[in-house]
């Protein structure tokens, strides 16, 4: 699903990712761990084509991202559900409109979009919040709305950047269980997190990042 | 990995585009009225920038009609000296009638000239109170040739004649009129271009602020796979609506200005004994104004969005 071939990313003087090689298979679930500033967000941004590698190739779903034009980049992003630490919900959109945005962008009509939005809200257990605005919801609810938006388009890959960073342990465990459920129906999942206690408890594959260098599961030689 | 558009009932592409554009057209229209005052000012700016040169262009094109109406031919006016009697003038007129270079002559006696002038100028009472007629008798000539050189030669000949005080060629007046019209056209063109540039800058700035206000939205749309066309679309429809509204405003301003200018200009024309009237906006002028307004508005939008959207990258 995701393949990194000798990928390096430098920001001016700072090396965020150093000669990374790894291959996340289709349908796998893995955690990306590492200290703050290790390069976790950078790795996810490379997959989303929010950043371009300084060296090497990023291949997602057999597509070399460096070969894509602007339209193809948009199409590439539609295949990925992205969850942020600070949810990135739009304040002046209702919960419904926030979740429906990926569908609107892909040209769904209102009837089909409505069905999908309600299915996504049902999965995260917030079916009754559809008409609310995000700011009246709790942090845990906002994060679940963010997840609903990420899954509404039925992506085959979910990326999450510190999705439980702002949540207490109980809420964090619930969020992680949601990701496990998606993985059980065949969605590939890659979650950046430094919540080591929780990750140990869940027992999925781990990819470690230390000052831009990778080690652990799915990591190739370099 | 195929996640795109697994819809329950497949929708035809054309129908889907129509629906999407319709939705954006409506939501853009509704969004206009969230900040009515700001938008009103933008539309007024655009409307005035269109109405000013528009009014001038309409007046000028009609003034050309007036000029052509006043000038029916290469008429030569020969003013006789005040000493010349009516009989002498008539004799001279008949003598010239058979001249090879002259097509036709008309004699206007001094008294007739005074009468005509007092009617046209509205100064009847003042003029009739004069004891001496200040106007000379006049012979109007229509030369056979249209060629300015020939006419100039004829004028030289006429000047030599006895009893002739002054010879005026309307052609000269016509040339001056054309020069004046050409200069005015150039001036209006330059004015229009400067105003268009000003409007592009003002509207560009407004749109830049709109983009900045929607920055978070644009970022999220880009991250969930919105194409450039999708992102541009609401701004394009906002520009079309603004163009339509500003175009209608411009037409109202022009109609009011032309209505206010028509009576005094009509009086001015009447003093040249012309029945010329400044007419108001026609359908084609309204349509052209609205078209121009929409084009200008869309140009401002596309140029700004193209440049600014690239700066908002996730
Ligand atoms: N846009 C950027 N410009 C410059 N340096 C950056 C930028 N983004 C990240 N970095 C640097 O790259 C390193 C990795 O950052 P990041 O990928 O955000 O790490 P993490 O998500 O693991 O905390 C950090 O040292 C950070 O300061
Ligand atoms: Mg990070």
């Amino acid at each position: 699903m995701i393949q990194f071939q000798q990928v390096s990313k430098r920001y001016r003087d700072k090396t965020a990712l150093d000669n990374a090689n790894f291959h996340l298979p289709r349908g796998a679930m893995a955690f990306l761990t590492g200290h703050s500033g290790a390069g976790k967000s950078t790795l996810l941004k490379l997959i989303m084509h929010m950043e371009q590698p300084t060296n090497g190739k990023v291949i997602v779903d057999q597509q070399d991202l460096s070969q894509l034009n602007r339209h193809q980049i948009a199409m590439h992003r539609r295949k990925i559900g992205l969850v942020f630490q600070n949810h990135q919900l739009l304040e002046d959109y209702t919960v419904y409109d926030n979740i429906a945005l990926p569908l609107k962008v892909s040209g769904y009509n209102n009837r089909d979009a409505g069905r999908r939005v309600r299915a996504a809200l049902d999965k995260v257990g917030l079916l009754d919040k559809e008409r609310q605005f995000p700011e009246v919801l709790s942090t845990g609810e906002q994060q679940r709305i963010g997840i609903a938006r990420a899954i509404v388009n039925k992506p085959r890959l979910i990326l999450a950047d510190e999705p439980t960073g702002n949540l207490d342990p109980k809420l964090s465990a619930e969020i992680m269980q949601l990701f496990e459920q998606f993985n059980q129906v065949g969605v590939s999942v890659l979650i950046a997190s430094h919540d080591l206690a929780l990750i140990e408890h869940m027992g999925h594959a781990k990819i470690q990042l230390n000052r831009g260098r990778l080690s652990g599961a799915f990591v190739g030689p370099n | 990995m195929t996640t795109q558009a697994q819809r329950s009932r497949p929708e035809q592409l054309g129908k889907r585009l129509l629906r999407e554009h319709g939705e954006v057209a409506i939501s853009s229209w509704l969004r206009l009225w969230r900040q009515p005052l700001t938008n009103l000012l933008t539309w007024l700016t655009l409307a005035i920038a269109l109405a000013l040169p528009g009014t001038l262009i309409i007046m000028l094109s009609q003034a050309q009609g007036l000029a052509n109406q006043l000038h029916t031919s290469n008429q030569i006016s020969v003013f006789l000296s005040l000493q010349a009697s009516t009989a002498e003038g008539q004799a001279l007129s008949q003598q010239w009638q058979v001249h090879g270079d002259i097509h036709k002559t008309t004699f206007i006696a001094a008294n007739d000239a005074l009468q005509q002038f007092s009617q046209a100028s509205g100064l009847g009472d003042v003029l009739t109170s004069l004891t001496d007629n200040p106007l000379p008798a006049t012979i109007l000539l229509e030369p056979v040739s249209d060629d300015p050189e020939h006419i100039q030669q004829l004028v030289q000949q006429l000047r030599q004649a006895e009893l002739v005080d002054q010879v005026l060629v309307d052609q000269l007046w016509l040339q001056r009129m054309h020069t004046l019209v050409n200069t005015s056209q150039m001036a209006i063109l330059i004015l229009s271009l400067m105003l268009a540039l000003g409007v592009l800058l003002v509207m560009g700035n407004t749109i830049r602020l709109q983009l900045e206000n929607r920055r978070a939205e644009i970022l999220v749309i880009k991250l969930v796979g919105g194409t450039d066309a999708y992102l541009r679309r609401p701004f394009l429809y906002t520009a079309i609506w603004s163009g339509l509204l500003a175009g209608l405003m411009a037409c109202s301003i022009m109609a009011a200005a032309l209505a206010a200018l028509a009576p005094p200009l009509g009086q001015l024309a009447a003093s040249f004994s012309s029945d010329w009237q400044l007419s108001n906006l026609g359908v084609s002028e309204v349509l052209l104004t609205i078209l121009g307004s929409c084009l200008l508005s869309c140009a401002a939008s596309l140029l700004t969005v193209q440049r600014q959207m690239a700066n908002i990258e996730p």
Side-chain angles (χ1 to χ4, degrees):
Chain A
M1 172 96 326
I2 307 171
Q3 227 177 321
F4 273 48
Q5 296 177 356
Q6 276 106 42
V7 176
S8 296
K9 175 65 187 176
R10 269 185 295 280
Y11 298 106
R12 262 155 289 161
D13 51 339
K14 180 88 197 167
T15 299
L17 208 57
D18 187 9
N19 200 23
N21 278 301
F22 84 97
H23 183 186
L24 184 80
R26 200 171 278 258
M29 174 157 177
F31 284 103
L32 181 63
T33 66
H35 59 91
S36 175
K40 303 183 293 296
S41 297
T42 300
L43 191 145
L44 296 183
K45 283 179 184 170
L46 288 168
I47 299 169
M48 286 303 286
H49 203 286
M50 292 157 76
E51 298 282 359
Q52 280 98 273
T54 319
N55 281 313
K57 265 189 195 170
V58 178
I59 298 166
V60 179
D61 201 26
Q62 279 127 31
Q63 275 183 316
D64 179 353
L65 298 193
S66 66
Q67 304 295 314
L68 303 184
N69 61 30
R70 286 181 68 80
H71 185 77
Q72 289 168 325
I73 291 166
M75 296 305 140
H76 163 71
R77 287 176 178 162
R78 288 183 193 178
K79 299 190 283 194
I80 304 174
L82 182 61
V83 180
F84 306 86
Q85 175 171 3
N86 56 347
H87 61 73
Q88 299 270 356
L89 298 175
L90 297 171
E91 286 166 22
D92 51 351
Y93 277 48
T94 60
V95 163
Y96 179 96
D97 289 333
N98 264 291
I99 299 174
L101 195 57
L103 302 174
K104 283 258 122 125
V105 158
S106 316
Y108 276 73
N109 67 36
N110 288 331
R111 205 166 44 89
D112 292 343
R115 201 177 298 146
R116 286 251 181 141
V117 170
R118 282 181 199 107
L121 273 171
D122 193 25
K123 278 213 186 80
V124 299
L126 292 172
L127 208 43
D128 54 332
K129 306 289 186 194
E130 163 181 325
R131 292 280 138 229
Q132 312 261 20
F133 283 89
E135 59 177 4
V136 304
L137 303 179
S138 71
T139 322
E141 287 170 336
Q142 287 173 346
Q143 191 57 286
R144 284 193 276 165
I145 299 301
I147 293 171
R149 182 179 61 191
I151 58 150
V152 75
N153 219 357
K154 298 197 178 160
R156 296 291 300 276
L157 171 64
I158 291 176
L159 302 178
D161 194 356
E162 317 257 7
T164 62
N166 296 331
L167 304 180
D168 63 41
K170 186 170 165 291
L171 282 174
S172 300
E174 282 176 24
I175 296 286
M176 289 303 184
Q177 274 160 22
L178 266 177
F179 286 122
E180 276 183 325
Q181 285 171 20
F182 299 130
N183 180 239
Q184 275 153 20
V185 295
V187 180
S188 313
V189 181
L190 180 62
I191 302 170
S193 174
H194 58 237
D195 192 347
L196 289 174
L198 182 64
I199 293 167
E200 287 304 330
H201 174 73
M202 298 193 56
H204 287 284
K206 277 182 294 181
I207 304 172
Q208 279 105 27
L209 251 177
N210 190 5
R211 287 193 216 139
R213 297 195 73 88
L214 280 182
S215 59
F218 309 126
V219 175
N222 56 7
Chain B
M1 190 155 90
T2 50
T3 56
Q4 281 182 49
Q6 297 156 347
R7 291 178 200 82
S8 51
R9 253 197 290 153
E11 200 178 3
Q12 280 176 337
L13 182 68
K15 211 176 141 197
R16 180 184 136 191
L17 278 177
L18 206 65
R19 173 178 53 75
E20 285 186 292
H21 279 264
E23 282 172 8
V24 177
I26 293 168
S27 65
S28 305
W29 172 261
L30 295 177
R31 191 180 270 271
L32 286 181
W33 307 103
R34 284 199 214 159
Q35 295 174 302
L37 203 67
T38 319
N39 287 325
L40 202 68
L41 288 176
T42 313
W43 302 332
L44 266 178
T45 313
L46 179 54
I48 291 168
L50 285 163
L52 185 58
T55 310
L56 292 175
I57 290 169
I58 289 171
M59 276 172 59
L60 191 68
S61 65
Q62 294 192 32
Q64 271 173 307
L66 171 65
N68 292 337
Q69 188 187 336
L70 287 181
H71 175 266
T72 48
S73 64
N74 291 317
Q75 189 170 272
I76 301 172
S77 309
V78 179
F79 298 103
L80 304 183
S81 74
L82 289 170
Q83 284 78 39
S85 72
T86 304
E88 282 170 330
Q90 264 165 344
L92 192 59
S93 174
Q94 269 155 25
Q95 184 191 326
W96 283 343
Q97 181 83 56
V98 293
H99 189 292
D101 289 340
I102 295 168
H103 177 60
K104 189 177 165 230
T105 65
T106 315
F107 177 71
I108 302 172
N111 282 335
D112 295 341
L114 183 63
Q115 221 167 20
Q116 274 185 16
F117 181 70
S118 67
Q119 273 168 11
S121 64
L123 298 173
D125 290 344
V126 183
L127 292 172
T128 44
S129 70
L130 293 173
T131 44
D132 286 330
N133 182 356
L135 295 179
T138 312
I139 300 174
L140 300 178
L141 299 178
E142 276 180 37
V144 174
S145 166
D146 270 343
D147 180 18
E149 291 236 341
H150 283 166
I151 293 172
Q152 215 48 49
Q153 280 168 13
L154 181 61
V155 167
Q156 289 305 328
Q157 266 183 41
L158 296 174
R159 288 219 170 100
Q160 311 297 319
E162 237 179 301
L163 296 176
V164 171
D165 184 32
Q166 230 184 347
V167 181
L168 284 184
V169 190
D170 284 355
Q171 197 191 30
L172 190 65
W173 181 80
L174 189 71
Q175 275 170 355
R176 285 184 184 148
M177 188 69 190
H178 277 310
T179 316
L180 191 67
V181 166
N182 285 341
T183 314
S184 312
Q185 274 174 339
M186 187 51 86
I188 291 175
L189 183 69
I190 292 170
L191 179 75
S192 307
L193 287 177
M194 292 197 306
L195 285 171
L197 192 65
V199 163
L200 282 181
L201 292 174
V202 169
M203 293 196 68
N205 194 47
T206 314
I207 295 159
R208 195 179 56 74
L209 291 176
Q210 286 170 0
L211 273 160
E212 213 44 57
N213 285 338
R214 298 176 72 175
R215 191 185 183 87
E217 198 179 345
I218 291 167
L219 282 178
V220 172
I221 289 173
K222 282 192 173 185
L223 277 181
V224 298
T227 56
D228 291 340
Y230 180 89
L231 284 159
R232 255 197 316 265
R233 207 172 292 152
F235 292 96
L236 196 60
Y237 275 97
T238 304
I240 292 173
W241 290 129
S242 300
L244 281 175
L245 290 168
L248 289 174
M249 285 183 184
C251 288
S252 314
I253 295 173
M254 280 156 69
L258 290 171
L261 284 165
L265 285 178
Q267 277 169 13
L268 189 65
S271 73
F272 287 101
S273 60
S274 162
D275 57 0
W276 178 82
Q277 285 286 339
L278 183 66
S279 48
N280 215 310
L281 285 183
V283 177
S284 63
E285 281 138 355
V286 168
L287 291 179
L288 268 175
T289 307
I290 292 175
L291 183 71
S293 175
C294 284
L295 285 179
L296 208 54
S297 174
C298 287
S301 182
L302 287 181
L303 288 173
T304 315
V305 169
Q306 188 78 8
R307 213 159 34 84
Q308 297 291 321
M309 200 74 92
N311 292 338
I312 306 177
E313 276 294 338

